[in-house]
Structure formats: C-alpha cells, structure tokens
Amino acid sequence: SQQGEEDPQALSIQEGENATMNCSYKTSINNLQWYRQNSGRGLVHLILIRSNEREKHSGRLRVTLDTSKKSSSLLITASRAADTASYFCATGFNTNAGKSTFGDGTTLTVKP
Amino acid sequence: EADIYQTPRYLVIGTGKKITLECSQTMGHDKMYWYQQDPGMELHLIHYSYGVNSTEKGDLSSESTVSRIRTEHFPLTLESARPSHTSQYLCASLGVGTEAFFGQGTRLTVV
C-alpha cells in the first residue's frame, strides 16, 4: 500500500470551522511535506516539517509530526471557501534514493 | 510562482498514436519527476531523474519512457497510446531545497 495514507478521504465543513487531516507513513523519514492541489491542477507546496520537529506553524496552517507513530496532521484554522482543495502528504524528497511517495489525499470542501 | 511548464494541458488522441508530453523548468533543478494521477486519486511516481543522462523508473509500472538530455527538459513519451493510459500526468522538479515545484499537469485522454 502507499507509503503515506491520509484520513479522512473526504471532509466537508462550514467556513470558519477548523479542518484536521491526518497522514500515516511506513518508513523512516527526513522530513514530511504537505501539498495542496486545486481540482485538476498541479500541486503547491504548503509546509515542511523535519523529523526532529514536533510542530510547525505557517499562517493558518499547523502541522504536527509524531515519528514514534509515523503520523502527521495538518490543521487549517478558520477555514475559507478558497481552502477547498485536495491535500496530500509526501515523504522521500531529497533522500539518497531521490524517490518520493504521496499519500492518497484528503479532499476538503469548505462551504460558504 | 513556479517556473515549471507542461504542454499540452489537454490532449485527446487515438489508440496507437505516439505522443510526447513536455516538461520544462527554468530553475536549474537537477531532480525531476513524472507522476500519474487518476481523478481524485493519489499520485504514482512513474519516472524520475537526478540530472542530465540520469533516468530511473518509479514505483508504478509504466509503458512510457523519458529522457534527460538537458537539465531543463524532461519529456515523457508513449510509443503507442492505449485507453488505459488515460490519466493526468504531473511533472515536478526539486532543487537544493526540499520543496518540489509542480507543473499544471497534462490531462491525457486516449480514445
């Protein structure tokens, strides 16, 4: 199965609410990244958390990493309709092997 | 805004045709990647490259081939397209940092 697996697969919330997405991975990592994808388009990098970090913030984004559980979570606070997109976690970039693995993705819908 | 471009954005072709999907980046990045993504599904790595004259197959078996003759260019070729190749193809590059930059994707339909 995929290295990274997100849950939930789909999330629908009202504007102003917080959205939490989770990601699990299988192998050891140097860092974990979260990307956003608007429908039918390329991915955009959101935030990176290194393996020696437990939490990181960027604007309305908060990412946590638990290497003992091999899991990460992405929290979007005070969500907006424009946050509607799919969110993917990714591992493996810049390892010696150079390969990367993306999770299944969480599709977030924020209703105005 | 990322300087990585994919052409065409949309392509509809007949079965058996040979096609090349273009990917170019102007950031001087050594590492480049091709992913295949079905609608609403995960990304699957099909090819990657560490630099000029370096290409490797990814995790997903693919009937496509790639070349890396120049740093900025990483085209993907399908010698004989089939309906099973219908998908979205995403190209990405990675420089010294750890953030990958993605193109807008090519949505391929084989009829």
Side-chain angles (χ1 to χ4, degrees):
Chain A
S1 60
Q2 283 285 317
Q3 158 80 326
E5 297 178 1
E6 279 100 340
D7 77 88
Q9 279 197 311
L11 182 60
S12 181
I13 59 175
Q14 293 294 136
E15 219 168 18
E17 293 179 341
N18 296 342
T20 300
M21 291 159 266
N22 302 298
C23 165
S24 61
Y25 57 92
K26 291 183 169 57
T27 62
S28 61
I29 59 171
N30 294 326
N31 62 73
L32 184 142
Q33 305 180 39
W34 283 90
Y35 287 82
R36 165 196 168 123
Q37 183 181 34
N38 284 31
S39 179
R41 301 179 77 82
L43 280 73
V44 176
H45 182 264
L46 292 176
I47 193 166
L48 177 151
I49 186 164
R50 301 189 189 283
S51 59
N52 61 354
E53 297 176 312
R54 291 295 167 260
E55 189 171 311
K56 197 161 182 180
H57 296 253
S58 176
R60 292 185 297 112
L61 304 179
R62 174 177 163 247
V63 169
T64 63
L65 179 64
D66 187 337
T67 52
S68 67
K69 295 180 181 176
K70 289 187 166 60
S71 68
S72 173
S73 68
L74 171 68
L75 167 68
I76 303 174
T77 60
S79 63
R80 305 166 184 167
D83 294 329
T84 294
S86 293
Y87 294 82
F88 294 86
C89 68
T91 61
F93 283 114
N94 260 8
T95 62
N96 288 337
K99 293 168 65 172
S100 60
T101 304
F102 282 81
D104 298 339
T106 293
T107 299
L108 172 67
T109 303
V110 181
K111 299 174 187 173
Chain B
E1 193 164 317
D3 295 318
I4 178 165
Y5 308 99
Q6 288 183 245
T7 57
R9 282 280 284 128
Y10 302 93
L11 180 61
V12 180
I13 60 167
T15 298
K17 299 290 185 185
K18 176 180 178 179
I19 56 165
T20 296
L21 307 185
E22 302 288 349
C23 177
S24 295
Q25 50 96 4
T26 58
M27 297 172 281
H29 288 171
D30 286 326
K31 292 179 181 171
M32 294 189 74
Y33 307 81
W34 273 105
Y35 296 88
Q36 185 174 340
Q37 183 188 31
D38 291 328
M41 303 294 284
E42 65 267 38
L43 282 76
H44 294 284
L45 180 67
I46 50 176
H47 296 283
Y48 61 102
S49 167
Y50 297 138
V52 171
N53 294 327
S54 149
T55 61
E56 303 285 344
K57 288 189 181 294
D59 299 318
L60 181 68
S61 175
S62 172
E63 292 159 344
S64 58
T65 59
V66 291
S67 63
R68 190 87 184 275
I69 298 171
R70 302 197 319 262
T71 297
E72 60 270 23
H73 197 211
F74 191 38
L76 178 86
T77 298
L78 279 167
E79 291 293 332
S80 179
R82 295 207 302 268
S84 61
H85 295 138
T86 294
S87 190
Q88 173 160 256
Y89 293 85
L90 291 166
C91 178
S93 72
L94 187 74
V96 196
T98 49
E99 174 185 346
F101 292 89
F102 281 80
Q104 295 287 0
T106 293
R107 192 172 294 278
L108 173 65
T109 303
V110 183
V111 297

